[in-house]
Amino acid sequence: MRAPRFKEQTVTLVTPSGQRREFGLAHAERLLDLGPERNGGWEIAEDEKYTYTEENGIRLKSDKGNSAKA
């Protein structure tokens, strides 16, 4: 089997006990869709560039920069 040509995008999830682990975006989204009661408490790490909502799934955080200062 040949290795993929691209690196799968990953997101770091954390648990309330402090465990950190990287997951592929699709797998992380499935875990988060289960909800904290059924997924062991996993949530996206604070320092990640992604955010999660039930409605939109995992998305890149929006840049809230002020374009008036530019």
Side-chain angles (χ1 to χ4, degrees):
M1 183 173 192
R2 188 179 288 213
R5 295 183 197 179
F6 61 92
K7 184 177 187 284
E8 181 182 15
Q9 290 181 320
T10 60
V11 61
T12 302
L13 300 183
V14 295
T15 62
S17 64
Q19 183 180 5
R20 293 176 66 92
R21 185 168 168 196
E22 282 191 12
F23 293 96
L25 288 178
H27 186 71
E29 190 167 56
R30 285 193 301 270
L31 277 173
L32 295 172
D33 283 343
L34 292 173
E37 304 83 28
R38 297 180 64 205
N39 74 5
W42 290 105
E43 60 184 32
I44 293 183
E46 290 290 325
D47 59 348
E48 267 297 334
K49 61 183 176 182
Y50 297 101
T51 186
Y52 171 81
T53 62
E54 285 186 30
E55 298 80 31
N56 297 319
I58 295 177
R59 300 282 185 247
L60 280 172
K61 287 182 180 176
S62 61
D63 183 9
K64 303 235 184 220
N66 186 349
S67 61
K69 291 183 180 179

